[in-house]
Short mmCIF file of all heavy atoms in Angstrom, two decimals:
data_model
loop_
_atom_site.label_atom_id
_atom_site.label_comp_id
_atom_site.label_asym_id
_atom_site.label_seq_id
_atom_site.Cartn_x
_atom_site.Cartn_y
_atom_site.Cartn_z
N MET A 483 18.28 48.03 -44.79
CA MET A 483 18.39 47.22 -43.60
C MET A 483 18.09 45.78 -43.99
O MET A 483 16.95 45.44 -44.32
CB MET A 483 17.42 47.73 -42.54
CG MET A 483 17.70 49.14 -42.08
SD MET A 483 16.57 49.71 -40.80
CE MET A 483 17.07 48.69 -39.45
N ALA A 484 19.08 44.97 -43.93
CA ALA A 484 18.98 43.61 -44.44
C ALA A 484 17.96 42.74 -43.71
O ALA A 484 17.48 41.76 -44.26
CB ALA A 484 20.35 42.95 -44.39
N ILE A 485 17.60 43.08 -42.47
CA ILE A 485 16.68 42.22 -41.73
C ILE A 485 15.22 42.53 -42.03
O ILE A 485 14.34 41.83 -41.57
CB ILE A 485 16.94 42.29 -40.22
CG1 ILE A 485 16.87 43.71 -39.73
CG2 ILE A 485 18.26 41.65 -39.87
CD1 ILE A 485 17.05 43.85 -38.23
N TYR A 486 14.98 43.57 -42.81
CA TYR A 486 13.62 43.91 -43.24
C TYR A 486 13.58 43.87 -44.76
O TYR A 486 14.59 44.11 -45.41
CB TYR A 486 13.24 45.33 -42.78
CG TYR A 486 13.10 45.46 -41.29
CD1 TYR A 486 14.13 45.94 -40.51
CD2 TYR A 486 11.91 45.11 -40.67
CE1 TYR A 486 13.99 46.06 -39.14
CE2 TYR A 486 11.76 45.22 -39.29
CZ TYR A 486 12.81 45.70 -38.54
OH TYR A 486 12.66 45.81 -37.18
N ARG A 487 12.38 43.59 -45.31
CA ARG A 487 12.29 43.68 -46.77
C ARG A 487 12.65 45.11 -47.16
O ARG A 487 12.78 45.98 -46.32
CB ARG A 487 10.93 43.24 -47.27
CG ARG A 487 9.77 44.09 -46.85
CD ARG A 487 8.45 43.52 -47.42
NE ARG A 487 7.30 44.08 -46.77
CZ ARG A 487 6.68 45.19 -47.16
NH1 ARG A 487 7.11 45.85 -48.20
NH2 ARG A 487 5.62 45.63 -46.51
N SER A 488 12.76 45.37 -48.42
CA SER A 488 13.26 46.66 -48.89
C SER A 488 12.67 47.85 -48.13
O SER A 488 11.47 47.95 -47.93
CB SER A 488 12.94 46.81 -50.37
OG SER A 488 13.36 48.09 -50.82
N THR A 489 13.56 48.72 -47.71
CA THR A 489 13.14 49.95 -47.04
C THR A 489 13.24 51.15 -47.98
O THR A 489 12.93 52.27 -47.58
CB THR A 489 13.99 50.20 -45.78
OG1 THR A 489 15.37 50.23 -46.16
CG2 THR A 489 13.76 49.12 -44.74
N LEU A 490 13.67 50.90 -49.21
CA LEU A 490 13.77 51.95 -50.21
C LEU A 490 12.40 52.55 -50.46
O LEU A 490 11.41 51.83 -50.59
CB LEU A 490 14.36 51.37 -51.50
CG LEU A 490 14.72 52.35 -52.59
CD1 LEU A 490 15.84 53.29 -52.13
CD2 LEU A 490 15.16 51.59 -53.84
N HIS A 491 12.32 53.83 -50.49
CA HIS A 491 11.09 54.59 -50.78
C HIS A 491 10.10 54.63 -49.62
O HIS A 491 8.97 55.06 -49.82
CB HIS A 491 10.39 54.09 -52.05
CG HIS A 491 11.26 54.14 -53.26
ND1 HIS A 491 11.77 55.31 -53.77
CD2 HIS A 491 11.72 53.15 -54.06
CE1 HIS A 491 12.51 55.03 -54.84
NE2 HIS A 491 12.50 53.73 -55.03
N LEU A 492 10.48 54.19 -48.42
CA LEU A 492 9.59 54.39 -47.28
C LEU A 492 9.57 55.88 -46.97
O LEU A 492 10.61 56.54 -46.92
CB LEU A 492 10.09 53.64 -46.04
CG LEU A 492 9.89 52.12 -46.03
CD1 LEU A 492 10.48 51.54 -44.74
CD2 LEU A 492 8.44 51.77 -46.15
N LYS A 493 8.38 56.42 -46.78
CA LYS A 493 8.26 57.85 -46.49
C LYS A 493 8.66 58.09 -45.04
O LYS A 493 8.23 57.38 -44.14
CB LYS A 493 6.85 58.34 -46.75
CG LYS A 493 6.51 58.33 -48.22
CD LYS A 493 5.13 58.90 -48.46
CE LYS A 493 4.83 58.86 -49.95
NZ LYS A 493 3.50 59.42 -50.23
N THR A 494 9.50 59.10 -44.86
CA THR A 494 10.01 59.41 -43.53
C THR A 494 9.91 60.90 -43.24
O THR A 494 9.78 61.72 -44.15
CB THR A 494 11.49 59.01 -43.39
OG1 THR A 494 12.25 59.75 -44.35
CG2 THR A 494 11.70 57.53 -43.61
N HIS A 495 9.98 61.22 -41.99
CA HIS A 495 10.10 62.59 -41.52
C HIS A 495 11.39 62.64 -40.71
O HIS A 495 11.63 61.77 -39.87
CB HIS A 495 8.92 62.98 -40.63
CG HIS A 495 7.61 62.84 -41.32
ND1 HIS A 495 7.09 63.81 -42.14
CD2 HIS A 495 6.72 61.83 -41.34
CE1 HIS A 495 5.93 63.42 -42.62
NE2 HIS A 495 5.69 62.21 -42.16
N VAL A 496 12.20 63.64 -40.97
CA VAL A 496 13.45 63.80 -40.25
C VAL A 496 13.36 65.09 -39.42
O VAL A 496 13.08 66.15 -39.97
CB VAL A 496 14.66 63.87 -41.20
CG1 VAL A 496 15.96 64.11 -40.44
CG2 VAL A 496 14.75 62.60 -42.04
N TYR A 497 13.56 64.97 -38.13
CA TYR A 497 13.50 66.10 -37.22
C TYR A 497 14.91 66.40 -36.72
O TYR A 497 15.49 65.59 -35.98
CB TYR A 497 12.58 65.80 -36.04
CG TYR A 497 11.17 65.45 -36.49
CD1 TYR A 497 10.76 64.12 -36.58
CD2 TYR A 497 10.27 66.45 -36.82
CE1 TYR A 497 9.48 63.80 -36.99
CE2 TYR A 497 8.98 66.14 -37.24
CZ TYR A 497 8.59 64.82 -37.33
OH TYR A 497 7.32 64.51 -37.74
N LEU A 498 15.46 67.52 -37.17
CA LEU A 498 16.79 67.92 -36.73
C LEU A 498 16.71 68.47 -35.32
O LEU A 498 15.72 69.09 -34.94
CB LEU A 498 17.37 68.97 -37.68
CG LEU A 498 17.49 68.52 -39.14
CD1 LEU A 498 18.02 69.67 -39.99
CD2 LEU A 498 18.38 67.30 -39.26
N ARG A 499 17.76 68.21 -34.54
CA ARG A 499 17.78 68.65 -33.15
C ARG A 499 19.06 69.43 -32.88
O ARG A 499 20.05 69.28 -33.57
CB ARG A 499 17.64 67.45 -32.22
CG ARG A 499 16.34 66.69 -32.51
CD ARG A 499 16.05 65.62 -31.54
NE ARG A 499 16.83 64.42 -31.79
CZ ARG A 499 16.67 63.30 -31.09
NH1 ARG A 499 15.79 63.24 -30.12
NH2 ARG A 499 17.40 62.25 -31.34
N ASP A 500 19.03 70.26 -31.87
CA ASP A 500 20.17 71.12 -31.53
C ASP A 500 21.26 70.36 -30.79
O ASP A 500 21.08 69.23 -30.35
CB ASP A 500 19.71 72.28 -30.65
CG ASP A 500 18.77 73.22 -31.40
OD1 ASP A 500 18.89 73.32 -32.63
OD2 ASP A 500 17.93 73.85 -30.74
N ASP A 501 22.39 71.03 -30.67
CA ASP A 501 23.51 70.57 -29.84
C ASP A 501 24.11 69.23 -30.28
O ASP A 501 24.53 68.43 -29.46
CB ASP A 501 23.11 70.48 -28.37
CG ASP A 501 22.70 71.85 -27.81
OD1 ASP A 501 23.32 72.84 -28.23
OD2 ASP A 501 21.79 71.91 -26.99
N GLY A 502 24.09 68.95 -31.57
CA GLY A 502 24.73 67.75 -32.08
C GLY A 502 24.01 66.45 -31.77
O GLY A 502 24.58 65.38 -31.95
N ILE A 503 22.77 66.54 -31.30
CA ILE A 503 21.99 65.32 -31.04
C ILE A 503 21.55 64.75 -32.38
O ILE A 503 21.16 65.48 -33.28
CB ILE A 503 20.77 65.62 -30.14
CG1 ILE A 503 21.25 66.16 -28.78
CG2 ILE A 503 19.90 64.40 -29.96
CD1 ILE A 503 20.13 66.62 -27.87
N ARG A 504 21.62 63.44 -32.50
CA ARG A 504 21.19 62.79 -33.75
C ARG A 504 19.79 63.22 -34.14
O ARG A 504 18.94 63.41 -33.29
CB ARG A 504 21.16 61.28 -33.58
CG ARG A 504 22.49 60.65 -33.54
CD ARG A 504 22.30 59.13 -33.49
NE ARG A 504 23.43 58.60 -32.80
CZ ARG A 504 23.38 57.86 -31.71
NH1 ARG A 504 22.24 57.51 -31.20
NH2 ARG A 504 24.48 57.46 -31.13
N PRO A 505 19.54 63.31 -35.45
CA PRO A 505 18.17 63.63 -35.86
C PRO A 505 17.22 62.49 -35.50
O PRO A 505 17.63 61.33 -35.40
CB PRO A 505 18.26 63.79 -37.38
CG PRO A 505 19.57 63.23 -37.78
CD PRO A 505 20.44 63.17 -36.57
N GLN A 506 15.98 62.83 -35.28
CA GLN A 506 14.94 61.82 -35.05
C GLN A 506 14.35 61.48 -36.41
O GLN A 506 13.97 62.37 -37.16
CB GLN A 506 13.87 62.36 -34.13
CG GLN A 506 12.73 61.40 -33.91
CD GLN A 506 11.66 61.98 -33.00
OE1 GLN A 506 11.92 62.86 -32.20
NE2 GLN A 506 10.46 61.49 -33.15
N ILE A 507 14.27 60.21 -36.72
CA ILE A 507 13.71 59.77 -38.00
C ILE A 507 12.46 58.96 -37.71
O ILE A 507 12.50 57.98 -36.97
CB ILE A 507 14.73 58.93 -38.79
CG1 ILE A 507 15.98 59.77 -39.06
CG2 ILE A 507 14.11 58.41 -40.08
CD1 ILE A 507 17.11 59.05 -39.69
N GLU A 508 11.37 59.39 -38.29
CA GLU A 508 10.08 58.74 -38.06
C GLU A 508 9.49 58.31 -39.40
O GLU A 508 9.40 59.09 -40.33
CB GLU A 508 9.13 59.73 -37.37
CG GLU A 508 7.80 59.14 -37.02
CD GLU A 508 6.94 60.18 -36.31
OE1 GLU A 508 7.38 60.70 -35.27
OE2 GLU A 508 5.84 60.45 -36.83
N LEU A 509 9.10 57.06 -39.47
CA LEU A 509 8.48 56.53 -40.68
C LEU A 509 6.99 56.84 -40.69
O LEU A 509 6.35 56.87 -39.64
CB LEU A 509 8.66 55.01 -40.75
CG LEU A 509 10.09 54.49 -40.83
CD1 LEU A 509 10.09 52.98 -40.71
CD2 LEU A 509 10.75 54.93 -42.11
N ASP A 510 6.45 57.06 -41.90
CA ASP A 510 4.99 57.15 -42.02
C ASP A 510 4.41 55.80 -41.64
O ASP A 510 5.04 54.75 -41.84
CB ASP A 510 4.58 57.47 -43.46
CG ASP A 510 4.66 58.95 -43.79
OD1 ASP A 510 5.02 59.75 -42.90
OD2 ASP A 510 4.36 59.30 -44.94
N GLU A 511 3.21 55.80 -41.09
CA GLU A 511 2.55 54.54 -40.75
C GLU A 511 2.12 53.84 -42.03
O GLU A 511 1.36 54.40 -42.82
CB GLU A 511 1.36 54.79 -39.83
CG GLU A 511 1.80 55.23 -38.45
CD GLU A 511 0.67 55.25 -37.45
OE1 GLU A 511 -0.09 54.27 -37.39
OE2 GLU A 511 0.57 56.26 -36.73
N THR A 512 2.64 52.63 -42.23
CA THR A 512 2.30 51.80 -43.39
C THR A 512 2.22 50.36 -42.92
O THR A 512 2.41 50.07 -41.74
CB THR A 512 3.36 51.90 -44.51
OG1 THR A 512 4.60 51.34 -44.03
CG2 THR A 512 3.60 53.35 -44.95
N ASP A 513 2.03 49.45 -43.87
CA ASP A 513 1.99 48.03 -43.52
C ASP A 513 3.37 47.39 -43.52
O ASP A 513 3.51 46.19 -43.29
CB ASP A 513 1.05 47.27 -44.45
CG ASP A 513 1.53 47.24 -45.89
OD1 ASP A 513 2.42 48.05 -46.25
OD2 ASP A 513 1.01 46.43 -46.68
N HIS A 514 4.42 48.18 -43.78
CA HIS A 514 5.79 47.67 -43.74
C HIS A 514 6.15 47.31 -42.30
O HIS A 514 5.86 48.06 -41.37
CB HIS A 514 6.76 48.73 -44.28
CG HIS A 514 8.12 48.19 -44.56
ND1 HIS A 514 9.03 47.95 -43.55
CD2 HIS A 514 8.73 47.86 -45.71
CE1 HIS A 514 10.14 47.49 -44.07
NE2 HIS A 514 9.99 47.43 -45.40
N LEU A 515 6.78 46.18 -42.09
CA LEU A 515 7.09 45.69 -40.75
C LEU A 515 7.92 46.69 -39.95
O LEU A 515 7.68 46.89 -38.76
CB LEU A 515 7.80 44.33 -40.82
CG LEU A 515 8.16 43.69 -39.49
CD1 LEU A 515 6.92 43.48 -38.62
CD2 LEU A 515 8.89 42.38 -39.71
N LEU A 516 8.89 47.34 -40.57
CA LEU A 516 9.71 48.31 -39.85
C LEU A 516 8.86 49.46 -39.33
O LEU A 516 9.00 49.87 -38.18
CB LEU A 516 10.83 48.84 -40.75
CG LEU A 516 11.77 49.87 -40.12
CD1 LEU A 516 12.44 49.34 -38.86
CD2 LEU A 516 12.81 50.32 -41.15
N ALA A 517 7.95 49.97 -40.14
CA ALA A 517 7.06 51.06 -39.71
C ALA A 517 6.13 50.59 -38.60
O ALA A 517 5.93 51.29 -37.61
CB ALA A 517 6.26 51.58 -40.90
N LYS A 518 5.60 49.39 -38.74
CA LYS A 518 4.72 48.85 -37.69
C LYS A 518 5.47 48.73 -36.37
O LYS A 518 4.95 49.07 -35.31
CB LYS A 518 4.18 47.48 -38.10
CG LYS A 518 3.12 47.53 -39.16
CD LYS A 518 2.65 46.12 -39.46
CE LYS A 518 1.54 46.11 -40.48
NZ LYS A 518 1.06 44.75 -40.75
N GLU A 519 6.71 48.23 -36.43
CA GLU A 519 7.48 48.05 -35.20
C GLU A 519 7.90 49.40 -34.61
O GLU A 519 7.93 49.56 -33.40
CB GLU A 519 8.69 47.15 -35.47
CG GLU A 519 8.27 45.72 -35.70
CD GLU A 519 9.42 44.75 -35.90
OE1 GLU A 519 10.55 45.19 -36.22
OE2 GLU A 519 9.19 43.54 -35.74
N GLN A 520 8.19 50.39 -35.46
CA GLN A 520 8.56 51.69 -34.92
C GLN A 520 7.37 52.34 -34.21
O GLN A 520 7.52 52.90 -33.14
CB GLN A 520 9.05 52.62 -36.03
CG GLN A 520 9.53 53.95 -35.48
CD GLN A 520 9.89 54.96 -36.53
OE1 GLN A 520 9.12 55.21 -37.44
NE2 GLN A 520 11.07 55.53 -36.39
N HIS A 521 6.20 52.24 -34.80
CA HIS A 521 5.03 52.90 -34.22
C HIS A 521 4.39 52.10 -33.08
O HIS A 521 3.88 52.68 -32.13
CB HIS A 521 3.99 53.20 -35.30
CG HIS A 521 4.42 54.31 -36.20
ND1 HIS A 521 4.24 55.64 -35.88
CD2 HIS A 521 5.04 54.30 -37.41
CE1 HIS A 521 4.74 56.39 -36.85
NE2 HIS A 521 5.24 55.60 -37.78
N GLY A 522 4.43 50.78 -33.17
CA GLY A 522 3.76 49.95 -32.17
C GLY A 522 4.66 49.39 -31.09
O GLY A 522 4.19 48.85 -30.10
N GLY A 523 5.97 49.51 -31.31
CA GLY A 523 6.91 48.94 -30.36
C GLY A 523 7.14 47.46 -30.64
O GLY A 523 6.46 46.85 -31.47
N ILE A 524 8.12 46.89 -29.95
CA ILE A 524 8.43 45.47 -30.12
C ILE A 524 8.57 44.84 -28.74
O ILE A 524 8.87 45.50 -27.75
CB ILE A 524 9.72 45.24 -30.95
CG1 ILE A 524 10.94 45.89 -30.29
CG2 ILE A 524 9.54 45.73 -32.38
CD1 ILE A 524 12.26 45.58 -30.97
N SER A 525 8.38 43.54 -28.73
CA SER A 525 8.53 42.79 -27.48
C SER A 525 10.01 42.54 -27.21
O SER A 525 10.86 42.68 -28.10
CB SER A 525 7.81 41.43 -27.59
OG SER A 525 8.46 40.63 -28.57
N ILE A 526 10.32 42.14 -26.01
CA ILE A 526 11.70 41.78 -25.67
C ILE A 526 12.16 40.60 -26.51
O ILE A 526 13.31 40.53 -26.95
CB ILE A 526 11.89 41.52 -24.15
CG1 ILE A 526 13.36 41.37 -23.80
CG2 ILE A 526 11.13 40.29 -23.71
CD1 ILE A 526 14.16 42.64 -23.91
N GLU A 527 11.24 39.69 -26.81
CA GLU A 527 11.59 38.54 -27.65
C GLU A 527 11.99 38.99 -29.05
O GLU A 527 12.95 38.49 -29.64
CB GLU A 527 10.42 37.54 -27.72
CG GLU A 527 10.12 36.84 -26.42
CD GLU A 527 9.28 37.66 -25.44
OE1 GLU A 527 8.73 38.72 -25.83
OE2 GLU A 527 9.19 37.25 -24.27
N ARG A 528 11.25 39.95 -29.60
CA ARG A 528 11.57 40.47 -30.93
C ARG A 528 12.90 41.21 -30.89
O ARG A 528 13.71 41.09 -31.81
CB ARG A 528 10.44 41.39 -31.44
CG ARG A 528 10.72 42.05 -32.77
CD ARG A 528 10.82 41.06 -33.92
NE ARG A 528 10.94 41.78 -35.17
CZ ARG A 528 11.56 41.32 -36.23
NH1 ARG A 528 12.05 40.09 -36.24
NH2 ARG A 528 11.66 42.04 -37.33
N ALA A 529 13.15 41.97 -29.84
CA ALA A 529 14.43 42.67 -29.71
C ALA A 529 15.59 41.68 -29.70
O ALA A 529 16.60 41.89 -30.38
CB ALA A 529 14.44 43.52 -28.45
N LEU A 530 15.44 40.60 -28.97
CA LEU A 530 16.48 39.57 -28.92
C LEU A 530 16.65 38.90 -30.28
O LEU A 530 17.78 38.58 -30.69
CB LEU A 530 16.17 38.55 -27.84
CG LEU A 530 16.25 39.08 -26.40
CD1 LEU A 530 15.72 38.05 -25.41
CD2 LEU A 530 17.65 39.53 -26.06
N GLU A 531 15.55 38.68 -30.98
CA GLU A 531 15.61 38.11 -32.33
C GLU A 531 16.40 39.03 -33.26
O GLU A 531 17.25 38.57 -34.03
CB GLU A 531 14.20 37.90 -32.87
CG GLU A 531 14.15 37.36 -34.28
CD GLU A 531 12.73 37.26 -34.83
OE1 GLU A 531 11.76 37.62 -34.13
OE2 GLU A 531 12.59 36.84 -35.98
N LEU A 532 16.15 40.32 -33.19
CA LEU A 532 16.87 41.28 -34.03
C LEU A 532 18.35 41.31 -33.69
O LEU A 532 19.20 41.35 -34.59
CB LEU A 532 16.25 42.67 -33.90
CG LEU A 532 14.83 42.82 -34.45
CD1 LEU A 532 14.26 44.18 -34.10
CD2 LEU A 532 14.78 42.57 -35.94
N VAL A 533 18.69 41.27 -32.41
CA VAL A 533 20.09 41.24 -31.99
C VAL A 533 20.76 39.99 -32.57
O VAL A 533 21.86 40.07 -33.11
CB VAL A 533 20.22 41.26 -30.45
CG1 VAL A 533 21.63 40.91 -30.01
CG2 VAL A 533 19.79 42.60 -29.90
N HIS A 534 20.09 38.86 -32.48
CA HIS A 534 20.63 37.61 -33.01
C HIS A 534 20.86 37.72 -34.52
O HIS A 534 21.93 37.32 -35.02
CB HIS A 534 19.67 36.46 -32.69
CG HIS A 534 20.11 35.14 -33.22
ND1 HIS A 534 21.15 34.42 -32.67
CD2 HIS A 534 19.66 34.42 -34.28
CE1 HIS A 534 21.32 33.31 -33.37
NE2 HIS A 534 20.43 33.29 -34.34
N LEU A 535 19.90 38.28 -35.24
CA LEU A 535 20.04 38.42 -36.69
C LEU A 535 21.20 39.34 -37.06
O LEU A 535 21.98 39.05 -37.96
CB LEU A 535 18.74 38.95 -37.30
CG LEU A 535 17.56 37.99 -37.29
CD1 LEU A 535 16.28 38.72 -37.69
CD2 LEU A 535 17.81 36.81 -38.21
N VAL A 536 21.34 40.44 -36.34
CA VAL A 536 22.41 41.39 -36.62
C VAL A 536 23.77 40.79 -36.26
O VAL A 536 24.73 40.90 -37.04
CB VAL A 536 22.18 42.72 -35.86
CG1 VAL A 536 23.40 43.62 -35.93
CG2 VAL A 536 20.95 43.44 -36.42
N GLU A 537 23.86 40.14 -35.12
CA GLU A 537 25.12 39.53 -34.70
C GLU A 537 25.57 38.46 -35.69
O GLU A 537 26.76 38.36 -35.99
CB GLU A 537 25.00 38.93 -33.30
CG GLU A 537 24.97 39.97 -32.21
CD GLU A 537 26.27 40.73 -32.08
OE1 GLU A 537 27.35 40.13 -32.20
OE2 GLU A 537 26.19 41.95 -31.85
N ASN A 538 24.65 37.68 -36.21
CA ASN A 538 25.01 36.62 -37.15
C ASN A 538 25.34 37.16 -38.53
O ASN A 538 25.94 36.47 -39.34
CB ASN A 538 23.90 35.58 -37.23
CG ASN A 538 23.88 34.71 -36.01
OD1 ASN A 538 24.89 34.49 -35.37
ND2 ASN A 538 22.69 34.23 -35.65
N ALA A 539 24.98 38.39 -38.83
CA ALA A 539 25.26 38.99 -40.12
C ALA A 539 26.64 39.65 -40.14
O ALA A 539 27.16 39.97 -41.19
CB ALA A 539 24.19 40.04 -40.47
N ARG A 540 27.25 39.87 -38.97
CA ARG A 540 28.56 40.51 -38.90
C ARG A 540 29.66 39.55 -39.34
O ARG A 540 29.62 38.36 -38.99
CB ARG A 540 28.87 40.94 -37.47
CG ARG A 540 28.08 42.12 -37.01
CD ARG A 540 28.57 42.55 -35.66
NE ARG A 540 27.74 43.63 -35.15
CZ ARG A 540 27.85 44.09 -33.93
NH1 ARG A 540 28.73 43.59 -33.10
NH2 ARG A 540 27.08 45.07 -33.53
N PRO A 541 30.66 40.07 -40.05
CA PRO A 541 31.80 39.21 -40.38
C PRO A 541 32.60 38.90 -39.12
O PRO A 541 32.70 39.73 -38.22
CB PRO A 541 32.62 40.04 -41.36
CG PRO A 541 32.18 41.45 -41.14
CD PRO A 541 30.79 41.40 -40.59
N THR A 542 33.14 37.73 -39.06
CA THR A 542 34.00 37.37 -37.93
C THR A 542 35.44 37.73 -38.26
O THR A 542 35.79 38.00 -39.42
CB THR A 542 33.93 35.85 -37.66
OG1 THR A 542 34.42 35.17 -38.81
CG2 THR A 542 32.50 35.41 -37.37
N ASP A 543 36.30 37.75 -37.27
CA ASP A 543 37.72 38.06 -37.50
C ASP A 543 38.33 37.07 -38.47
O ASP A 543 39.23 37.40 -39.22
CB ASP A 543 38.48 38.02 -36.18
CG ASP A 543 38.13 39.20 -35.29
OD1 ASP A 543 37.60 40.22 -35.80
OD2 ASP A 543 38.39 39.12 -34.07
N ASP A 544 37.85 35.82 -38.47
CA ASP A 544 38.39 34.79 -39.36
C ASP A 544 38.11 35.09 -40.82
O ASP A 544 38.84 34.63 -41.70
CB ASP A 544 37.78 33.42 -39.02
CG ASP A 544 38.18 32.95 -37.62
OD1 ASP A 544 39.19 33.46 -37.11
OD2 ASP A 544 37.49 32.10 -37.08
N SER A 545 37.04 35.86 -41.09
CA SER A 545 36.65 36.10 -42.49
C SER A 545 37.31 37.36 -43.05
O SER A 545 37.10 37.70 -44.19
CB SER A 545 35.14 36.19 -42.61
OG SER A 545 34.65 37.33 -41.91
N LEU A 546 38.10 38.07 -42.23
CA LEU A 546 38.71 39.32 -42.69
C LEU A 546 39.99 39.07 -43.43
O LEU A 546 40.70 38.21 -43.34
CB LEU A 546 38.94 40.28 -41.53
CG LEU A 546 37.68 40.75 -40.83
CD1 LEU A 546 38.06 41.63 -39.64
CD2 LEU A 546 36.81 41.54 -41.77
#
């Protein structure tokens, strides 16, 4: 995930669910920002910041 420092080797738990529902993925609690945000939640301001970062990382039609 480009908006967080390396997520490689973060310990996770994957919970499979029935009826084709996506698995639930839970990170172990660590000092990594992604784990902190998953366990503690994020503010609306942080959510908007993440949307802005993701939107600006997408290629535009002009760059295709």
